[in-house]
Amino acid sequence: MITKFRTRLTVILAGLVAGALLVALAAVWVATENQLARAIERELGVSERVFRELLDSRSVQLLQAAEVLTDDFGFKRAVSSKDRETIISALVNHGERIEAELMVLQTPDGTEIASSHAFEQLRINPRTAGLNRELAVVEGKLFQLVTVPVNAPNLIAWATLGFEVDSGLAQELKSLANADISLWLENSKQVVASSLQHEQVSSLSEVLKNDVKALDNWLSKYDLAGNEIILDAGSNDAVHVVLTTSLDAATAEFTRLRWQIIIIAVAALIVAVLLAAIIGRGVSRPLQQLSGAARKLQQGDYSKSELSLNDDEFGNLANAFGSMRKAISEREKRISYQASHDQLTDLPNRRFFREQLQHLLNDASEAGALLLLNIHQFRVLNDSVGQEIGDDILRQLSTRLQQCCSSSASLARVGGDEFAILYSNEKLKINLDDKIEKLKASLTPPFKVGDSDYKLAFNVGVVNFPEQGSDVDLLIRRAQVRVQQAKRQQSFYVEYEKGLDEQHMRRLQIIESLKNAVEDEELKLVLQPKMNCQTGLVVGAEALLRWQSEKLGFVGPDEFIPLAEQSGAITELTEWVCRQAFRLLYQWHQQGRALKLSINLSAVDLLSDALPLLFETLIKDFPELPRLLVLEVTESAVMKDPEKATARLETLQRFGFSISIDDYGTGHSSLAQLRRLPVKELKIDRAFVQHLSEDSMDKSIVRSTIQLAHELDLHVVAEGVEDEASWKLLKTLKCDELQGYFFSKPLPVSDFIDYLNDHDVNG
Ligand code: C2E
Ligand code: CA
Ligand code: CA
């Protein structure tokens, strides 16, 4: 199969032309064939006519000669005198003069007077023998005869003159009619005259002797065309006249004509093939160009293809193709732009930014800084003012960032409330601080939406590359850690310091491991005794959490409690602590020990609904619980959401629980504020107590606090008592209860019972 369109077209066109030529050639062939046959026939016909005319003219010639003879007086006298000698000599004389080969003289009744040939064979009937030409075979030869009367004045004799029809005549005819003539006799089958060559003649004689019908074979043997006519030769013989002409000669012209036509046809065919090839090229070239352009498109090359096409259908197709290419390339550009840009701010998105950073990192000579900027509590703002205003603020922010960043920086929005600024400049180190100051200044003015002003806080984390990381993920993570750090420190920005990563990782690990701490029974409660300040006797204990993690080892509460609060795991921990405290108190109650137990509640616990529900069920089982369980909350926990916390504390108070304010003095609230809370107890923070005996400032703070608290009818606990002097002092200051290493460190439950037993005995 021909797969190439161009070749196929060439073959089809050439085939069509060849077919047409073949038909024309066949038609010409047939026509020339017919023409040839007709021409030969005509030629032979002409030859026949010439032959007959030749015979006629010879007859006339004979007749004139005969009339001259019969008019000759001497001859007439010789005939009438019947002088045979004279007659014969006259006949011979005349005959010789006109070159007649045969001479006969007979009486009016037909008896021979004189004859040059065998008279009996002639059988001339003078009455019928007119002036017509007449042929006769005499002595095996063919003669043309003329018979005329000899009158003196009456008919005295008939004179017959004869010319032999021989090869001479045949030659004469040939020179006149351009055809060969051969004559043969019917009876003897003998060729009597012929203009043909000797060899042909003898071959004809052979053929005739064997089979008259084989004449056609003889003709074709010598490449001849022939016509046969039969003439009478006396009463019992006939002469066959065969007119032949060489087919070669006749065909020669036609053959030449045919060759000419064939040459013309071949030339036409070549021209057709060339034309077809040119047309094919003309058609396939634009197609090739178009398919080349399409292939380019397929490979993602959208550059303009130079298509030199005419103003025809292909040109239109090329134009359509060009528009298609443009449309596709624009669409692709749009798609890739959308894929790499943020729709809201039109800034590059996280993906694009990562690629950019990767690009910079790949180039070893590039150094720079990555700033990650986070909007503080943007989600809260978004929730409270609505998405539309939030979007507006983001757009304004992006504009400010764009104005603020120099040309050496690239900006991207990498998260909902997070932007990245990438500085790639070797001299950057020197002026990064300036840049950050400038950034801070540009972000400080409030954002105006409608009539309202929105003041936003930002946290920025900074990392330098390549010294602080040459990996995209690492750099981004480190910058994020910095942002979190800044958030915690409530500062605008934090720069990378070694070790921050590890802290961050540890925090993540703690949060992860905390999830299963309760289930895996990794938690334990330790109890720190609380003493009556005046007597030094144990009145209760504070329950403190201990966590021995399988993965991380021992983790102190100062480390894991804030993380549990952040991750929300604190709810589960507090529940666990409550159930443990419940069990201990229940046990002690059964054992008749009148001890109180304090537990710590975090801000998250205060706001969650789980705690009141739990207490409800626990109280059902042990109604004495609220009287014995003290709930410690820090003032900062209450201040996170004072209204809700106060309401919750009131509920707990209604249950009967005593509420204690923990770490008093570290927050900023005044006692007057705390008064409004349903609080029974105040725990002075250990920071004021630890160095109480040496520090007069602490002393006066503790004194006034105890006094004020007592005026407000609050029970006062001092924690962090580390020496006896402090105890003594607190005693004089009329503090109610004490807690501290001086008495005991937090103890495992069984040790606490031992401690109790020892001190009860002592006390
Ligand atoms: P806190 O509630 O103020 O607990 C008292 C802390 O002071 C305990 O540290 C205790 O060991 C320590 N302490 C007691 N006496 C002295 C002393 O004389 N000198 C010194 N330097 N320290 C003393 P701990 O057990 O490491 O607990 C630290 C903090 O962890 C607690 O402070 C509390 O805020 C939190 N925490 C512990 N357990 C829990 C819990 O079950 N729930 C909640 N929400 N927080 C807990
Ligand atoms: Ca406490
Ligand atoms: Ca405390």
Side-chain angles (χ1 to χ4, degrees):
M1 248 332 260
I2 303 164
T3 50
K4 266 184 102 169
F5 169 73
R6 205 170 119 185
T7 321
R8 210 155 54 218
L9 189 74
T10 309
V11 168
I12 289 170
L13 281 177
L16 273 173
V17 171
L21 282 173
L22 226 59
V23 170
L25 219 58
V28 167
W29 207 266
V30 170
T32 51
E33 201 74 32
N34 290 340
Q35 184 70 21
L36 181 63
R38 270 201 304 280
I40 288 172
E41 209 167 303
R42 207 165 41 240
E43 199 178 309
L44 290 174
V46 169
S47 300
E48 187 191 325
R49 258 199 319 281
V50 170
F51 170 67
R52 285 183 194 276
E53 263 160 34
L54 200 63
L55 281 186
D56 283 348
S57 80
R58 281 188 29 141
S59 293
V60 172
Q61 202 184 338
L62 269 181
L63 194 63
Q64 279 168 0
E67 274 167 358
V68 170
L69 175 69
T70 50
D71 284 347
D72 187 85
F73 183 71
F75 178 67
K76 279 188 211 177
R77 205 173 49 201
V79 173
S80 52
S81 68
K82 294 189 175 120
D83 178 357
R84 206 176 133 79
E85 289 291 302
T86 316
I87 290 167
I88 287 170
S89 88
L91 272 177
V92 169
N93 279 342
H94 277 280
E96 272 173 3
R97 208 174 56 238
I98 62 164
E99 291 173 9
E101 282 91 358
L102 181 143
M103 274 151 292
V104 173
L105 197 66
Q106 56 189 331
T107 59
D109 55 5
T111 349
E112 180 189 351
I113 301 169
S115 176
S116 59
H117 288 74
F119 181 75
E120 319 72 67
Q121 286 178 14
L122 278 162
R123 267 184 295 275
I124 302 157
N125 183 356
R127 264 163 290 274
T128 55
L131 299 172
N132 303 334
R133 61 169 194 271
E134 196 171 338
L135 294 171
V137 179
V138 185
E139 294 172 0
K141 288 181 177 167
L142 182 65
F143 289 95
Q144 189 179 5
L145 302 178
V146 160
T147 304
V148 290
V150 182
N151 296 316
N154 299 325
L155 179 74
I156 55 168
W158 290 99
T160 300
L161 293 174
F163 288 105
E164 193 185 340
V165 177
D166 57 6
S167 293
L169 180 81
Q171 288 299 342
E172 201 179 336
L173 179 79
K174 187 180 177 181
S175 66
L176 285 174
N178 195 28
D180 280 302
I181 186 164
S182 305
L183 297 105
W184 57 278
L185 302 178
E186 171 84 47
N187 291 343
S188 62
K189 309 273 187 277
Q190 199 195 330
V191 180
V192 289
S194 178
S195 62
L196 289 170
Q197 277 164 14
H198 184 70
E199 187 231 326
Q200 290 172 322
V201 176
S202 49
S203 150
L204 178 62
S205 306
E206 275 313 295
V207 166
L208 290 175
K209 259 177 225 149
N210 300 331
D211 179 13
V212 180
K213 289 193 184 108
L215 190 66
D216 285 342
N217 290 341
W218 174 80
L219 284 173
S220 64
K221 181 180 166 194
Y222 288 100
D223 227 355
L224 299 170
N227 250 4
E228 195 178 30
I229 47 177
I230 300 169
L231 303 173
D232 276 342
S235 51
N236 50 5
D237 207 346
V239 180
H240 289 254
V241 181
V242 181
L243 289 157
T244 57
T245 179
S246 163
L247 268 178
D248 262 356
T251 327
E253 203 177 329
F254 287 99
T255 311
R256 205 168 50 245
L257 181 68
R258 279 173 185 174
W259 272 116
Q260 277 171 356
I261 289 171
I262 287 172
I263 287 166
I264 288 168
V266 169
L269 194 63
I270 290 168
V271 169
V273 169
L274 284 177
L275 260 172
I278 289 167
I279 293 172
R281 233 193 82 165
V283 175
S284 70
R285 197 177 52 113
L287 284 178
Q288 263 169 4
Q289 283 189 14
L290 281 168
S291 75
R295 213 164 315 128
K296 236 172 84 180
L297 207 63
Q298 188 195 23
Q299 287 158 0
D301 180 355
Y302 294 110
S303 61
K304 192 168 186 244
S305 301
E306 278 313 322
L307 301 173
S308 54
L309 297 176
N310 299 335
D311 202 10
D312 54 9
E313 288 87 339
F314 287 115
N316 292 342
L317 183 60
N319 285 341
F321 186 83
S323 332
M324 185 181 83
R325 175 194 56 77
K326 235 168 97 188
I328 291 178
S329 118
E330 270 162 19
R331 206 168 311 148
E332 181 124 319
K333 260 188 223 151
R334 207 164 52 236
I335 289 171
S336 74
Y337 184 83
Q338 280 171 356
S340 59
H341 284 74
D342 168 47
Q343 263 174 303
L344 181 69
T345 59
D346 226 14
L347 288 176
N349 62 14
R350 187 181 191 86
R351 217 188 75 188
F352 190 74
F353 163 74
R354 286 178 63 95
E355 279 170 15
Q356 249 181 331
L357 181 56
Q358 184 65 62
H359 192 70
L360 282 178
L361 291 174
N362 287 347
D363 186 351
S365 66
E366 279 285 2
L370 161 62
L371 271 70
L372 213 57
L373 177 124
N374 187 276
I375 311 168
H376 187 63
Q377 292 201 316
F378 183 70
R379 203 165 303 149
V380 177
L381 177 84
N382 226 4
D383 288 347
S384 55
V385 299
Q387 181 112 20
E388 267 176 44
I389 291 176
D391 285 354
D392 203 333
I393 290 173
L394 283 174
R395 273 192 291 266
Q396 289 186 39
L397 173 60
S398 118
T399 313
R400 281 196 205 177
L401 289 173
Q402 274 169 302
Q403 285 165 351
C404 174
C405 291
S406 67
S407 55
S408 63
S410 40
L411 189 64
R413 185 181 175 205
V414 293
D417 56 357
E418 206 160 54
F419 291 80
I421 307 165
L422 199 56
Y423 286 101
S424 56
N425 183 348
E426 280 173 14
K427 293 183 203 135
L428 186 88
K429 262 263 151 238
I430 309 158
N431 54 24
L432 184 62
D433 288 345
D434 290 353
K435 285 192 193 303
I436 288 169
E437 274 315 306
K438 211 177 129 198
L439 184 67
K440 191 176 178 181
S442 88
L443 296 179
T444 308
F447 292 81
K448 208 172 175 62
V449 181
D451 292 335
S452 309
D453 284 346
Y454 297 90
K455 200 157 168 53
L456 299 185
F458 298 91
N459 301 113
V460 178
V462 184
V463 275
N464 294 301
F465 58 85
E467 58 269 33
Q468 290 162 0
S470 52
D471 172 81
V472 172
D473 286 316
L474 182 70
L475 276 174
I476 292 178
R477 206 178 60 235
R478 285 186 165 163
Q480 278 168 343
V481 171
R482 246 76 323 143
V483 171
Q484 293 308 316
Q485 179 103 347
K487 211 172 258 184
R488 271 197 304 280
Q489 294 175 1
Q490 295 185 345
S491 56
F492 181 68
Y493 87 100
V494 166
E495 226 181 312
Y496 175 81
E497 271 168 50
K498 255 199 158 152
L500 271 177
D501 270 350
E502 290 69 18
Q503 278 177 33
H504 182 70
M505 284 312 292
R506 180 165 167 86
R507 275 209 288 275
L508 290 181
Q509 281 172 337
I510 288 173
I511 288 171
E512 191 56 35
S513 304
L514 262 181
K515 286 180 189 163
N516 304 316
V518 173
E519 205 177 301
D520 296 350
E521 298 179 7
E522 291 176 348
L523 296 172
K524 213 173 73 176
L525 273 188
V526 289
L527 302 176
Q528 188 176 31
K530 279 171 97 175
M531 338 294 290
N532 180 303
C533 183
Q534 301 306 319
T535 62
L537 287 177
V538 182
V539 289
E542 180 178 1
L544 295 158
L545 254 181
R546 293 294 175 263
W547 178 30
Q548 182 70 38
S549 162
E550 198 198 318
K551 249 193 228 152
L552 303 163
F554 179 80
V555 185
D558 280 330
E559 196 176 8
F560 75 79
I561 294 289
L563 293 175
E565 284 174 347
Q566 261 179 43
S567 72
I570 191 70
T571 319
E572 202 191 352
L573 297 189
T574 305
E575 211 179 297
W576 184 84
V577 171
C578 287
R579 287 181 194 282
Q580 296 298 314
F582 164 84
R583 261 197 236 155
L584 281 175
L585 284 171
Y586 188 76
Q587 252 175 39
W588 293 342
H589 185 70
Q590 300 292 80
Q591 294 164 2
R593 295 182 200 273
L595 288 169
K596 282 190 167 190
L597 192 59
S598 300
I599 60 166
N600 294 282
L601 298 186
S602 72
V604 182
D605 297 321
L606 271 187
L607 302 179
S608 104
D609 295 329
L611 210 59
L613 290 172
L614 176 67
F615 282 139
E616 243 176 316
T617 54
L618 294 179
I619 291 167
K620 265 183 206 150
D621 290 343
F622 182 34
E624 296 297 312
L625 183 70
R627 196 173 52 83
L628 302 170
L629 192 65
V630 179
L631 307 177
E632 293 187 6
V633 291
T634 59
E635 51 169 308
S636 61
V638 177
M639 289 314 155
K640 280 238 164 98
D641 188 349
E643 265 178 51
K644 219 171 163 196
T646 309
R648 179 52 48 83
L649 288 179
E650 276 163 0
T651 311
L652 294 172
Q653 192 205 31
R654 272 200 297 277
F655 281 153
F657 292 107
S658 308
I659 315 286
S660 169
I661 293 294
D662 202 356
D663 300 347
Y664 178 74
T666 54
H668 305 284
S669 41
S670 63
L671 265 178
Q673 278 173 307
L674 293 175
R675 227 183 107 194
R676 275 180 243 139
L677 297 172
V679 175
K680 267 261 184 70
E681 184 181 276
L682 202 68
K683 273 183 102 171
I684 302 173
D685 192 74
R686 60 181 183 266
F688 303 100
V689 182
Q690 268 168 316
H691 312 289
L692 191 63
S693 50
E694 304 118 54
D695 196 316
S696 56
M697 175 81 158
D698 284 351
K699 222 180 282 179
S700 62
I701 291 173
V702 171
R703 179 188 292 120
S704 61
T705 303
I706 293 173
Q707 271 177 4
L708 259 168
H710 279 163
E711 273 171 33
L712 293 170
D713 211 11
L714 290 172
H715 197 77
V716 182
V717 182
E719 63 176 359
V721 181
E722 293 186 352
D723 49 49
E724 199 172 3
S726 302
W727 180 16
K728 292 270 142 59
L729 195 68
L730 285 162
K731 222 184 209 171
T732 57
L733 293 175
K734 299 267 186 327
C735 185
D736 300 296
E737 275 174 35
L738 305 175
Q739 191 181 337
Y741 290 172
F742 176 70
F743 301 102
S744 171
K745 289 204 166 182
L747 301 166
V749 176
S750 58
D751 292 3
F752 175 72
I753 300 296
D754 292 346
Y755 180 88
L756 260 187
N757 291 337
D758 290 352
H759 287 76
D760 268 352
V761 172
N762 292 343

